[in-house]
């Protein structure tokens, strides 16, 4: 059965004009630089509004997770953004980390009651909420998280 | 960049992007806040879990004194993020 996911499509794409890659030091001060990098790409491809915000949110959450939970890791974090006909694919790669598959983390149901709330734990929850596909791969200390946003699903969301 | 301004009536105005790079400075700016706080988010363009966490931390602290956070003028996108965080009622967002 062929893999028809957007991530699989992305890995087969050879149009380099539709992909940009950049490396960022693993510090939280780099978050605005990651935003600017993704923003430039989305703008060049005419992607804005809610879809762009969703992509920025998920990208930041993964980048900050890589930074916060792997302080001692070596090497920069790589961010790649690719535009397929109806999908934006963002891939974040940490080249020196432990295995932590975010796709198997139990779903979170945040309580509306403040006395039952604790600070933290929302990042992965947001990623799942705003992205259409999330993929995780781990091999030889390298973690790769791929985020897919289907642009037509965003348009459909706003037509209702 | 996140700009935080507090007017003479104690209303807190957030402007810009409340991301993880701004969390520490925002946490420091919110430290003196006491009593129920109104946050005007008309010019808040973006918020991530890091920003939400700082606001939630403040809300939990204020709640100890019987006070709360009220968020006003948030854009539909910011409201959606608060809703995903389960904070729409907690922050009294209409």
């Amino acid at each position: 059965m062929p893999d028809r996911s957007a991530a699989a499509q992305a890995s087969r794409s050879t149009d380099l004009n539709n992909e940009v890659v950049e490396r960022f030091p693993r510090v939280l001060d780099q978050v605005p630089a990651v935003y600017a990098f993704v923003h430039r790409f989305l703008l060049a491809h005419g992607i804005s509004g809610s879809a762009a915000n969703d992509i920025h949110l998920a990208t930041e959450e993964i980048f900050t997770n890589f930074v916060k939970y792997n302080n001692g890791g070596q090497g920069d974090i790589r961010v790649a953004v690719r535009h397929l006909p109806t999908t934006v694919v963002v891939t974040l790669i940490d080249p020196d980390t432990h295995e932590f598959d975010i796709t198997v983390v139990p779903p979170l149901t945040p309580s509306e009651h403040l006395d039952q709330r604790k600070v933290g734990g929302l990042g992965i929850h947001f990623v799942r909420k705003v992205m259409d596909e999330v993929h995780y791969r781990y091999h030889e200390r390298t973690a790769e998280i791929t985020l897919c946003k289907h642009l037509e699903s965003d348009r459909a969301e706003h037509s209702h | 960049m996140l700009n935080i301004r507090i007017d003479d009536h104690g209303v807190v105005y957030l402007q810009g992007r409340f991301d993880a790079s701004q969390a520490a400075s925002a946490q420091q700016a919110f430290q003196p806040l006491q009593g129920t706080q109104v946050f005007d988010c008309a010019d808040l363009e973006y918020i991530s879990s890091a920003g939400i966490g700082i606001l939630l931390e403040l809300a939990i602290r204020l709640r100890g004194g019987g006070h709360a956070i009220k968020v006003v003028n948030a854009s539909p996108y910011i409201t959606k993020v608060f809703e995903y965080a389960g904070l729409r009622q907690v922050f009294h967002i209409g």
Side-chain angles (χ1 to χ4, degrees):
Chain A
M1 186 74 177
D3 185 351
R4 297 186 189 283
S5 70
Q9 288 177 49
S11 70
R12 288 193 294 269
S13 173
T14 54
D15 185 353
L16 294 180
N17 291 324
N18 283 336
E19 182 180 21
V20 290
V21 184
E22 187 64 80
R23 293 169 187 273
F24 299 91
R26 54 177 75 239
V27 288
L28 292 180
D29 284 352
Q30 285 293 306
V31 167
V34 173
Y35 165 80
F37 166 69
V38 175
H39 179 67
R40 275 195 304 273
F41 180 84
L42 296 180
L43 211 59
H45 289 262
I47 299 159
S48 59
S50 183
N53 282 330
D54 287 346
I55 292 163
H56 287 304
L57 180 60
T59 303
E60 181 191 327
E61 298 299 351
I62 299 300
F63 183 83
T64 55
N65 267 20
F66 278 168
V67 173
K68 279 164 62 181
Y69 301 115
N70 185 26
N71 269 335
Q74 299 296 307
D76 293 341
I77 291 166
R78 206 162 77 212
V79 180
V81 195
R82 185 172 290 192
H83 185 209
L84 302 175
T86 59
T87 305
V88 173
V89 180
V90 181
T91 304
L92 294 101
I93 298 172
D94 185 336
D96 181 26
T97 188
H98 54 277
E99 187 169 12
F100 180 68
D101 185 351
I102 65 163
T103 64
V104 299
V105 172
L108 179 73
T109 308
S111 169
E112 282 278 1
H113 300 286
L114 198 50
D115 50 5
Q116 294 169 8
R117 295 295 299 256
K118 58 178 184 179
V119 178
L122 285 171
I124 294 171
H125 174 68
F126 283 168
V127 170
R128 285 172 163 162
K129 280 283 187 186
V130 301
M131 300 310 281
D132 295 296
E133 295 176 38
V134 180
H135 303 273
Y136 179 85
R137 284 202 315 184
Y138 186 80
H139 182 64
E140 293 182 347
R141 290 201 53 79
T142 297
E144 180 179 316
I145 295 178
T146 302
L147 310 167
C148 304
K149 182 71 179 173
H150 300 160
L151 300 175
E152 75 274 30
S153 69
D154 187 62
R155 281 196 290 271
E157 180 188 320
H158 286 87
S159 66
H160 292 127
Chain B
M1 185 67 186
L2 177 72
N3 291 313
I4 300 169
R5 182 172 66 84
I6 304 174
D7 73 8
D8 295 341
H9 304 287
V11 176
V12 183
Y13 294 86
L14 300 180
Q15 184 211 356
R17 296 176 44 79
F18 200 167
D19 62 27
S21 70
Q22 304 298 313
S25 58
Q27 188 175 35
Q28 201 170 6
F30 295 165
Q31 222 151 28
L33 297 180
Q34 302 288 337
T36 291
Q37 296 294 325
V38 175
F39 280 78
D40 190 318
C41 295
D43 295 320
L44 183 64
E45 297 163 14
Y46 171 89
I47 190 164
S48 67
S49 70
I52 297 263
I54 298 300
L55 290 175
L56 182 57
E57 190 180 83
L58 175 64
I60 290 170
R61 175 168 67 80
L62 295 178
R63 187 180 178 277
H67 303 293
I69 283 180
K70 292 180 180 174
V71 170
V72 298
N73 298 327
S75 70
Y77 189 79
I78 298 292
T79 301
K80 184 173 92 168
V81 177
F82 281 124
E83 192 167 327
Y84 286 161
L87 292 171
R88 197 167 173 157
Q89 288 175 34
V90 172
F91 289 167
H92 306 277
I93 303 171

